[in-house]
Amino acid sequence: MTVTHRTQSTRRRPRPGTAGPGQTGDTATRDRAVTSHVDPTTPGTRRPDGAWRDGDPVGRRQFAHIGDVELERGGVLPDVRIAYETWGRLNEAGDNVILVEHALTGDSHVIGEADDGHASPGWWNALIGPGGPVDPERWFVIASNVLGGCQGSTGPASPAPDGRPWGSRFPYVTVRDQVAVERRLLDGLGIRRLAAVVGGSMGGMRAVEWAVTHPDDVDRCIVLASTAYATADQIAWCQPQLLAIRNDPDFAGGDYYEGHTRPDTGLGLARRIAHITYRTETELGTRFGREPQLGEDPLRSGDRGRFAVESYLDHHAGKLARRFDANSYVVLTEAMNSHDVGRDRGGLEAALQRVRAECTIVSVDTDRLYPPRLSDELHAALPHSRRAHITSEFGHDGFLIEEDQVGRIVRDALERRLD
């Protein structure tokens, strides 16, 4: 495996000339140089997707080339590359590693500002930092962009062996494939054991899969707002999202990268559907009610107006289209649908009995997509598990929004002595 190191720091912005492991200061500075960057929102230079591409500023990313990967469903994905970021330093014993797993539209940029290399700020900014729940003075933290993603790791927007983007040819990948790739990444970095794996939503799926697939390699497993398997209800919510993207004429069957249009309409519809499941009826009612968007009252404006909640959904649809790739949304959604730790392992309970990690299973009380009963079921089937709860009006997104509660839960789990 070939690893390209990047400078990492606990500061929000890297200092010029500082070096990461295996780098000189000059190398670190040279790696940050911007060669060519196309802003996908600039007229005349609009890309057919929101993916990160070679030649764009790398930001805080590091890269690992892990070679060919055999997939659970069959076939081989060649020359896989994984983008990742790190904070802190690996100790001599190699026992201070925490793997942070991102959700569907996240990436390796857990903390930090938005800048030329990162289209959006860190998605869990309160988690990592000096004195924080995960202190980089003590822990060596790793977060990668998942296989099939669009922020530096091999995915549909990446070049296939013929040099053209994979597009519709990108294979079906599962959560197990994604964890297998992460295992290869850590092997290449000389890391065998995880002090903890932490993830929410889709990231929680990978955290559970880590604990089941590699029971001897995980000390703690912290799962937030997630499940041991995708339910029929979750798969049902995903279907109209997938259809919205695939039925957008600009999607072109997944081969839109070399064209001049992008499937923003389909991706935006998918995001709107998903976002409703991430929040609650109470929050939307309290926040927006039946108020019209300013100057757009549907009953009074000359043109067809919008209610405020419609404007809110439109805003989130547009934001995602600017920073994400529709094909990756499809690939990762299908990977989530594939999730079932009991598959080919004798069922759910038999699979979870393999886990040796000290687990902390966390639900959000108002989560209608990953309801607390799924966390109860997971907790009951694990050999060593503690149950925790987040109280929130925000529903599923509470695992990202309720920073104080999440921070206390994670800190407590990391401080707890292992049996």
Side-chain angles (χ1 to χ4, degrees):
M1 184 187 86
T2 304
V3 177
T4 304
H5 287 293
R6 294 282 307 130
T7 298
Q8 298 297 330
S9 170
T10 58
R11 298 170 65 92
R12 289 297 176 87
R13 291 189 178 275
R15 294 167 294 173
T18 57
Q23 288 184 312
T24 64
D26 290 341
T27 303
T29 303
R30 185 168 61 251
D31 282 350
R32 277 195 298 272
V34 176
T35 55
S36 64
H37 176 53
V38 179
D39 181 352
T41 65
T42 302
T45 61
R46 199 164 186 247
R47 286 181 173 171
D49 61 90
W52 183 91
R53 298 295 184 86
D54 289 330
D56 288 348
V58 298
R60 296 182 178 89
R61 293 176 184 85
Q62 304 179 60
F63 298 96
H65 295 266
I66 66 172
D68 299 349
V69 174
E70 293 186 11
L71 301 174
E72 181 185 5
R73 207 175 157 211
V76 174
L77 185 59
D79 193 24
V80 170
R81 179 182 72 181
I82 296 297
Y84 67 100
E85 298 180 46
T86 66
W87 299 265
R89 290 189 177 277
L90 184 66
N91 64 17
E92 291 186 7
D95 62 359
N96 69 329
V97 181
I98 295 178
L99 179 64
V100 178
E101 304 276 35
H102 69 76
L104 172 62
T105 60
D107 53 41
S108 64
H109 199 53
V110 182
I111 66 169
E113 305 292 342
D115 53 32
D116 284 344
H118 301 284
S120 56
W123 49 271
W124 231 356
N125 264 315
L127 186 72
I128 305 168
V134 182
D135 192 333
E137 294 298 318
R138 175 183 178 187
W139 304 106
F140 179 57
V141 188
I142 301 175
S144 67
N145 182 213
V146 71
L147 176 68
C150 61
Q151 291 299 316
S153 292
T154 295
S158 304
D162 63 2
R164 295 172 50 238
W166 278 100
S168 64
R169 300 173 295 165
F170 194 80
Y172 188 106
V173 300
T174 68
V175 171
R176 289 187 194 176
D177 293 327
Q178 294 167 339
V179 168
V181 166
E182 291 171 349
R183 175 71 272 176
R184 294 263 293 270
L185 167 65
L186 297 183
D187 287 345
L189 296 174
I191 296 167
R192 282 305 310 167
R193 193 168 189 89
L194 293 174
V197 56
V198 184
S201 194
M202 187 183 83
M205 294 178 175
R206 298 202 304 286
V208 176
E209 187 64 42
W210 255 100
V212 172
T213 304
H214 304 287
D216 295 327
D217 299 341
V218 180
D219 291 335
R220 302 172 185 83
C221 181
I222 307 171
V223 180
L224 300 99
S226 195
T227 177
Y229 58 91
T231 66
D233 185 66
Q234 290 157 6
I235 296 170
W237 276 111
C238 288
Q239 194 212 26
Q241 298 175 48
L242 295 173
L243 290 174
I245 293 172
R246 287 175 169 144
N247 286 317
D248 184 336
D250 291 332
F251 185 63
D255 295 315
Y256 50 85
Y257 295 109
E258 296 171 350
H260 300 288
T261 58
R262 45 194 281 166
D264 286 357
T265 298
L267 180 59
L269 286 171
R271 182 61 166 183
R272 289 174 178 89
I273 295 167
H275 198 77
I276 294 168
T277 72
Y278 299 158
R279 297 303 180 101
T280 68
E281 184 270 341
T282 301
E283 186 228 349
L284 295 178
T286 301
R287 186 172 177 184
F288 301 106
R290 292 190 46 77
E291 292 298 313
Q293 182 66 6
L294 185 63
E296 296 186 35
D297 191 331
L299 299 178
R300 292 179 174 83
S301 60
D303 298 325
R304 185 179 295 276
R306 296 178 297 171
F307 288 97
V309 70
E310 294 177 294
S311 175
Y312 169 72
L313 294 175
D314 291 345
H315 168 73
H316 280 281
K319 276 182 62 177
L320 186 69
R322 287 191 293 272
R323 67 173 182 84
F324 213 76
D325 177 36
N327 265 326
S328 278
Y329 196 100
V330 169
V331 167
L332 298 185
T333 298
E334 291 183 330
M336 293 169 66
N337 287 347
S338 80
H339 175 57
D340 179 5
V341 296
R343 184 176 61 250
D344 299 328
R345 290 167 172 161
L348 178 66
E349 292 189 4
L352 293 176
Q353 283 300 307
R354 301 165 52 147
V355 175
R356 298 185 181 180
E358 291 285 344
C359 298
T360 301
I361 308 302
V362 189
S363 63
V364 182
D365 62 348
T366 53
D367 192 339
R368 58 184 174 185
L369 185 59
Y370 296 81
R373 67 170 183 82
L374 295 175
S375 293
D376 291 338
E377 183 180 38
L378 177 57
H379 166 66
L382 286 163
H384 310 284
S385 178
R386 292 178 182 243
R387 192 73 169 82
H389 308 269
I390 296 170
T391 301
S392 178
E393 66 175 332
F394 297 108
H396 181 64
D397 273 354
F399 86 93
L400 294 170
I401 296 172
E402 304 293 351
E403 295 177 340
D404 290 343
Q405 294 182 63
V406 171
R408 285 195 298 271
I409 291 168
V410 171
R411 189 191 300 271
D412 288 348
L414 295 178
E415 292 296 333
R416 191 177 305 126
R417 294 184 61 182
L418 300 176
D419 292 338

